[in-house]
Amino acid sequence: MESPLPPQEGSSEDQEQLLTLKTFRSAGKGSWASVPDAEWNDWKWQLKNRVTRIDQLERLLPSMTREERAGVLLAGESKLAMAITPYYFNLLDPSDELCPIRRQVIPRLEETTTAPWERLDPVGEDDHSPVPGLVHRYPDRVLFLVTDRCAAYCRYCTRSRLVSNASGYDFHPEFDRQIAYIAEHTEIRDVLLSGGDPMLLSDEKLEYLLGRLRAIPHVEFLRIGTRIPIFLPQRITPALCTMLRKFHPLFVSIHTNHPGELTTEVREALGRLADAGIPLGNQSVLLRHVNDEPVVMKALVQKLLMCRVRPYYIYQCDLISGSSHLRSTVSRGLEIMDSLRGHTTGYAVPQYVIDAPGGGGKIPVNPGYILRKSATKIILRNFEGKVFEYPEAAETAEATVMAPLCDSSMAYGKD
Ligand SMILES: *Cc1c(COP(=O)(O)O)cnc(C)c1O
């Protein structure tokens, strides 16, 4: 296997592209110019006016392709409906079929093609579910599926089997069993609320849920996984933030994949959460033609830091049914990680993981920095491809001569 060559730093073309990608813009009102500000900025208006039907798309996206049209028509009948908030819709480029925003939310015909290794439950959540709506995969923490709805639907959704089928509940029908299980299992010190999007609940309902969890003495740490700040930043109201701050330590993991999603509206919403003392992390999914380019990912992670968000994970896309057109290669993921580590702020570098098919959990995957290892020494390469040697501890004690540790004449990439 050929190692990736170290990326070239600072070509002026790359620099220019990076700056363009990192610019904060407002989504604006676009095709909804006549809607009064008070309605546009109201999250309930945004939800009520989501783009969900083909006739709306015909008007709003006249350049819709044959594959998209077929995808939209099939989405209604299939596992995952289409829904896009007007705010988020304004971020997509109607003149570009490969627009990275468009590919995340507009269904395509390819979704109906399922490869033999693709699954409706690709990471085996249902097999690790002790009560409906809870996934207990790791020793000390559980995933709590709060609701079955989202503000908009990602076409690569790993839980499409559970969301958007419009049963329309707020709390899971087995809510009391979910709480009881956590209360009975004293090893659970971390509860991750996800779904469906927990932030679609009213302030009152979310407060009730957080209160029930905080009343369990062994629950130390709460976090919410949400895409609301990206799809519906209007939902992050001052009142919501005032409520959330009562439940610390509470972290929020957002989900953004492309720097174009980080608008001025999103930056303000994230600022309100950060000002409420909520540490923010981001989870991205590596997606073909969305963010599988080093310059795009670098712009995304740097822009996240400007929003006070720490990049947390990059996921290799799960083997969800009908997602092959959106999956990028692991080699590309590793190349992107190589282009980040050392080349930009350490805080901006997330961990790349593969959620193992069938329920093995998240497995970190890293570019190879250890070239060779023996009982006496370890041979490493750095982010520039220079090779270094580190003597193992046992040897160091006896070492009389310090050999030069660095032989920068050896470059990696040719092995
Ligand atoms: C991702 C995940 C968690 C949280 O994992 P962390 O590595 O702690 O972020 C917990 N439970 C399940 C089922 C998960 O998929």
Side-chain angles (χ1 to χ4, degrees):
M1 194 187 101
E2 208 171 300
S3 307
L5 287 169
Q8 300 234 306
E9 218 79 48
S11 88
S12 63
E13 207 175 294
D14 278 9
Q15 224 23 53
E16 211 169 293
Q17 200 188 349
L18 188 69
L19 286 177
T20 308
L21 286 165
K22 280 171 67 176
T23 307
F24 285 94
R25 296 187 181 82
S26 163
K29 287 198 208 162
S31 303
W32 291 268
S34 60
V35 173
D37 284 356
E39 291 191 350
W40 181 259
N41 295 325
D42 174 359
W43 65 278
K44 297 207 165 132
W45 183 92
Q46 288 282 337
L47 277 182
K48 218 177 297 160
N49 288 279
R50 288 185 299 181
V51 178
T52 56
R53 299 188 316 270
I54 187 84
D55 59 295
Q56 293 171 294
L57 271 192
E58 271 161 0
R59 187 163 43 81
L60 295 162
L61 191 63
S63 66
M64 182 165 39
T65 63
R66 210 174 54 84
E67 289 76 15
E68 288 171 327
R69 173 182 299 277
V72 174
L73 290 172
L74 290 163
E77 312 158 14
S78 74
K79 58 187 172 73
L80 187 65
M82 174 181 72
I84 310 164
T85 55
Y87 158 83
Y88 189 82
F89 191 91
N90 282 345
L91 301 181
L92 72 78
D93 182 352
S95 66
D96 179 10
E97 193 197 336
L98 287 179
C99 164
I101 309 291
R102 183 165 170 170
R103 285 175 69 77
Q104 293 183 60
V105 291
I106 305 279
R108 296 182 60 90
L109 181 60
E110 293 93 310
E111 287 178 19
T112 56
T113 309
T114 298
W117 47 84
E118 292 178 348
R119 297 283 177 273
L120 274 176
D121 179 15
V123 295
E125 290 183 333
D126 296 344
D127 297 334
H128 287 96
S129 183
V131 298
L134 271 193
V135 184
H136 195 176
R137 175 68 192 78
Y138 300 100
D140 67 342
R141 54 207 190 281
V142 289
L143 169 62
F144 190 117
L145 304 175
V146 177
T147 183
D148 68 348
R149 289 171 293 145
C150 289
Y153 292 107
C154 310
R155 304 321 300 173
Y156 49 89
C157 179
T158 211
R159 291 200 197 106
S160 55
R161 70 191 187 283
L162 302 176
V163 301
S164 100
N165 49 9
S167 63
Y169 56 77
D170 273 342
F171 288 136
H172 197 281
E174 302 283 357
F175 179 78
D176 289 327
R177 283 176 71 195
Q178 288 174 294
I179 299 284
Y181 181 88
I182 296 169
E184 282 160 20
H185 288 258
T186 53
E187 74 275 19
I188 297 170
R189 41 162 292 287
D190 169 1
V191 180
L192 159 52
L193 302 176
S194 183
D197 203 312
M199 292 232 187
L200 270 191
L201 298 192
S202 66
D203 292 4
E204 292 71 26
K205 284 196 168 139
L206 191 52
E207 181 167 13
Y208 173 76
L209 169 58
L210 291 167
R212 289 290 301 269
L213 292 169
R214 267 281 165 253
I216 302 172
H218 53 269
V219 173
E220 300 169 0
F221 182 74
L222 294 173
R223 52 180 154 163
I224 300 175
T226 176
R227 218 181 171 190
I228 286 284
I230 302 302
F231 283 148
L232 188 61
Q234 297 80 7
R235 171 69 186 98
I236 311 301
T237 58
L240 174 69
C241 297
T242 304
M243 182 277 282
L244 292 175
R245 68 184 307 158
K246 291 192 276 188
F247 298 98
H248 279 313
L250 171 69
F251 282 40
V252 167
S253 293
I254 67 163
H255 169 185
T256 173
N257 297 316
H258 189 275
E261 294 174 325
L262 297 176
T263 60
T264 51
E265 290 90 333
V266 167
R267 183 173 57 184
E268 284 164 22
L270 294 170
R272 288 191 286 275
L273 289 169
D275 284 345
I278 299 172
L280 301 171
N282 179 62
Q283 318 194 84
S284 288
V285 180
L286 182 69
L287 297 169
R288 184 184 296 272
H289 296 310
V290 173
N291 57 14
D292 62 345
E293 289 288 341
V295 67
V296 173
M297 205 59 99
K298 186 183 268 185
L300 175 65
V301 296
Q302 292 181 348
K303 222 173 162 185
L304 280 165
L305 288 193
M306 290 194 271
C307 297
R308 293 188 274 171
V309 181
R310 165 83 159 94
Y312 181 45
Y313 283 138
I314 293 179
Y315 290 91
Q316 177 62 22
C317 189
D318 292 336
L319 297 172
I320 186 78
S321 298
S323 67
S324 56
H325 60 297
L326 284 169
R327 290 203 304 274
S328 195
T329 63
V330 177
S331 305
R332 185 53 84 92
L334 290 170
E335 189 187 321
I336 287 171
M337 293 313 298
D338 221 350
S339 77
L340 295 176
R341 173 62 67 197
H343 298 272
T344 191
T345 312
Y347 277 118
V349 182
Q351 174 65 56
Y352 180 35
V353 291
I354 298 182
D355 211 334
K362 297 177 184 72
I363 301 176
V365 277
N366 298 306
Y369 292 103
I370 299 178
L371 302 180
R372 279 187 299 284
K373 196 167 166 298
S374 73
T376 56
K377 64 185 179 192
I378 173 166
I379 311 289
L380 305 153
R381 59 112 176 149
N382 77 353
F383 73 104
E384 297 159 306
K386 291 178 183 161
V387 177
F388 299 83
E389 186 179 311
Y390 185 91
E392 277 292 32
E395 192 197 43
T396 316
E398 284 141 45
T400 48
V401 182
M402 282 293 286
L405 285 178
C406 160
D407 179 359
S408 56
S409 64
M410 289 170 72
Y412 85 100
K414 299 272 185 285
D415 58 349

